[in-house]
Amino acid sequence: MATVGSVTRQIAALEISSKQNTTATKTTRSTHQKQGSQTSNTVSKLLTKFAAPNPPSSKTIRPQTSNSSLSRLPTTGQAGASSSNKAFKAPAPLSREPTQPSIDIGRYDGGLEYDEENRGKKVYGQAAEELALDSSVIEHQPTREWHLTDFDIGRPLGKGKFGRVYMVRTKCEPKYIVALKTLYKSEIIESRVEKQIRREIEIQQNLRHPHILRLYGYFHDEKRIFLMLEFAGKGELYKQLSKHGCFTEKRSSRYIDQMADALDYLHSKHVIHRDIKPENLLLGINGDLKIGDFGWSVHAPGNRRTTMCGTLDYLPPEMIEGKEHSKEVDLWALGVLTYEFLVGCAPFEERTHNETYKRIMRVDLRIPSRVSPDAADLIVKLLQHEPYKRIPLPEVRKHPWIMKYRSRSSNPQPQ
Ligand code: AMP
């Protein structure tokens, strides 16, 4: 068994190797009761910090021919890209690969085979083409070609609406750990969310930020889409919130700092998240927050949107009214999140939709006295009825309540 120290040194080597090879009614929220994932062992937590499954390979990535069943995934800003594929040659393997310790990825429960027999159907036609998603055929940033057989499957991490999530390890060196998320195509089609899923994948694939869950690659077979996601070693933030009821001021402040940093990055890429809530947040191996769900995100350069979406408790007044909305919806949600971290429930939570709507529209905010004046000040500045009055993200990051708890080693201050 490798010691923590030796694993840490190997991790450092891994990080270098990965850098060198980068080619690559009410939506009821019963307070803090979501089913969570299991915990992982320390060594795997350590290793996965630097997991980046675009491993060195001498294999030439086979281009998909234009009559292939695989369609090209237009990447952000590349919609309608040419269908011609260039052969992509992966970099040669490094001469000195770090030797991997044996990482316990836990026991596989046979769930993929079970699901394969019991759920999902093959899909055909236009919808099938929409969902023929494979990162190895992205023109400007292809990853290597992946298949399910390239992984050792470990313990189940959780179940999502469209399939299971597993902790897996690549069979090839260096043996990266990732979370493999399966999505059943026929179920996506039945729920009529092909475009939403495609959009989620397109958006997440292009994001690189320490507080945004990385999507390293994706591939598909006849029935399923597989997403290779950064493994969030400490699981769901929601589970922590359920366990503790609420967070301390220090912990809340650090999470909100990380959220503000990630949202600022998203907005700079013209991505509005639109569904910020504890259920969509994961924790990395160091306990860092990771935005992990992009189902409602929209890539909207200069666009104002009118779709009503998101969880009711986190909806801003402009979305309830069906008005145009913009990136400020995420500022409102950040205010709701700050409140929920500190108080343990959402600020406008009521028994019926109607009552919640009314309280949101009136900004009927009641902050308990145990919340510090600094934290209350930030909440009030974020929960402004008029979107333009909400405190901008760079100012959130400089707010006294955030500065007070930011450690020197944490994120650098925004410019
Ligand atoms: P989802 O389909 O994204 O809702 O995922 C279902 C569950 O799997 C989540 O609630 C988490 O417990 C777990 N999960 C999803 N993605 C990851 C990940 N990247 N790392 C660890 N656990 C995950």
Side-chain angles (χ1 to χ4, degrees):
M1 186 66 189
T3 64
V4 169
S6 71
V7 173
T8 312
R9 281 191 293 281
Q10 283 154 4
I11 289 164
L14 252 186
E15 185 183 35
I16 293 161
S17 98
S18 69
K19 274 184 188 156
Q20 284 172 343
N21 291 284
T22 305
T23 52
T25 63
K26 183 168 164 133
T27 315
T28 307
R29 296 177 65 252
S30 55
T31 305
H32 311 158
Q33 280 176 351
K34 198 182 168 194
Q35 289 298 310
S37 57
Q38 298 155 25
T39 51
S40 57
N41 73 44
T42 318
V43 176
S44 62
K45 282 175 190 169
L46 277 168
L47 182 73
T48 53
K49 180 181 179 190
F50 298 104
N54 200 2
S57 161
S58 55
K59 183 179 161 192
T60 301
I61 307 300
R62 286 197 304 277
Q64 304 295 324
T65 53
S66 52
N67 60 0
S68 147
S69 64
L70 299 181
S71 69
R72 183 182 304 282
L73 174 68
T75 50
T76 311
Q78 276 209 319
S82 142
S83 64
S84 68
N85 280 311
K86 292 190 187 86
F88 169 72
K89 189 142 180 143
L94 291 178
S95 52
R96 285 194 357 219
E97 287 296 345
T99 312
Q100 291 302 297
S102 100
I103 304 298
D104 182 11
I105 55 170
R107 218 174 129 168
Y108 175 51
D109 62 0
L112 292 177
E113 288 78 8
Y114 178 85
D115 275 358
E116 180 73 355
E117 277 181 24
N118 294 289
R119 72 191 279 188
K121 301 181 210 91
K122 287 182 190 170
V123 298
Y124 304 93
Q126 173 69 30
E129 277 189 27
E130 282 248 17
L131 295 175
L133 300 173
D134 192 323
S135 52
S136 69
V137 297
I138 295 178
E139 192 161 78
H140 80 293
Q141 211 180 47
T143 64
R144 60 161 279 177
E145 201 177 305
W146 293 99
H147 303 275
L148 192 54
T149 49
D150 292 326
F151 303 92
D152 290 319
I153 316 286
R155 68 183 175 87
L157 294 170
K159 280 185 192 165
K161 184 161 189 253
F162 298 116
R164 300 173 196 244
V165 185
Y166 282 95
M167 181 174 180
V168 305
R169 179 176 50 215
T170 61
K171 286 180 184 167
C172 64
E173 294 286 345
K175 299 194 173 193
Y176 292 114
I177 305 285
V178 295
L180 193 70
K181 180 168 169 174
T182 53
L183 305 166
Y184 274 84
K185 291 178 180 178
S186 58
E187 295 177 15
I188 292 172
I189 293 166
E190 274 158 29
S191 300
R192 301 178 177 215
V193 288
E194 304 95 288
K195 287 195 171 57
Q196 190 184 318
I197 295 282
R198 225 187 136 100
R199 187 173 62 202
E200 176 176 4
I201 292 170
E202 285 167 15
I203 289 174
Q204 204 166 352
Q205 163 82 10
N206 285 292
L207 302 174
R208 305 274 185 280
H209 189 276
H211 301 301
I212 295 174
L213 200 75
R214 270 288 294 276
L215 172 61
Y216 295 116
Y218 44 88
F219 54 97
H220 72 120
D221 64 13
E222 280 179 317
K223 283 185 170 183
R224 300 163 291 190
I225 297 168
F226 299 91
L227 305 182
M228 295 162 63
L229 292 161
E230 176 182 354
F231 173 58
K234 287 204 170 138
E236 294 169 287
L237 180 130
Y238 197 81
K239 217 176 154 189
Q240 294 288 317
L241 198 51
S242 311
K243 189 173 146 194
H244 298 285
C246 61
F247 296 142
T248 61
E249 295 250 340
K250 180 178 176 181
R251 187 168 179 184
S252 304
S253 165
R254 289 203 174 159
Y255 285 153
I256 296 303
D257 192 13
Q258 295 175 356
M259 277 299 298
D261 191 19
L263 287 175
D264 204 18
Y265 168 82
L266 284 179
H267 293 176
S268 75
K269 302 253 170 219
H270 308 289
V271 174
I272 311 170
H273 190 283
R274 304 201 300 178
D275 199 18
I276 298 297
K277 55 182 175 178
E279 295 90 323
N280 288 340
L281 303 175
L282 291 165
L283 296 170
I285 47 163
N286 292 331
D288 281 354
L289 182 145
K290 309 264 174 186
I291 298 181
D293 198 306
F294 284 82
W296 277 120
S297 301
V298 59
H299 188 257
N303 255 0
R304 292 191 156 258
R305 313 274 312 182
T306 49
T307 328
M308 171 121 161
C309 59
T311 307
L312 186 64
D313 285 321
Y314 280 71
L315 283 181
E318 64 269 29
M319 277 173 91
I320 288 178
E321 285 181 326
K323 284 187 187 159
E324 282 188 335
H325 55 265
S326 194
K327 59 183 169 54
E328 289 78 16
V329 295
D330 289 340
L331 297 177
W332 175 276
L334 192 64
V336 176
L337 194 70
T338 311
Y339 184 103
E340 183 159 2
F341 283 171
L342 291 166
V343 179
C345 61
F348 309 109
E349 204 174 290
E350 282 295 339
R351 275 169 301 169
T352 66
H353 282 175
N354 236 342
E355 287 172 63
T356 304
Y357 280 143
K358 280 185 193 155
R359 285 196 60 196
I360 293 172
M361 293 310 298
R362 289 199 307 266
V363 194
D364 180 9
L365 184 61
R366 302 163 205 166
I367 303 177
S369 56
R370 67 186 142 93
V371 173
S372 72
D374 277 346
D377 180 74
L378 181 60
I379 292 169
V380 168
K381 284 179 171 150
L382 285 164
L383 294 178
Q384 290 290 313
H385 187 280
E386 300 305 322
Y388 72 91
K389 287 188 181 164
R390 293 174 200 152
I391 179 173
L393 292 165
E395 283 180 39
V396 171
R397 300 207 64 220
K398 286 188 237 161
H399 188 276
W401 184 65
I402 297 294
M403 297 298 285
K404 182 174 176 186
Y405 296 108
R406 183 181 292 148
S407 63
R408 278 183 202 193
S409 57
S410 65
N411 302 331
Q413 242 211 287
Q415 300 300 307

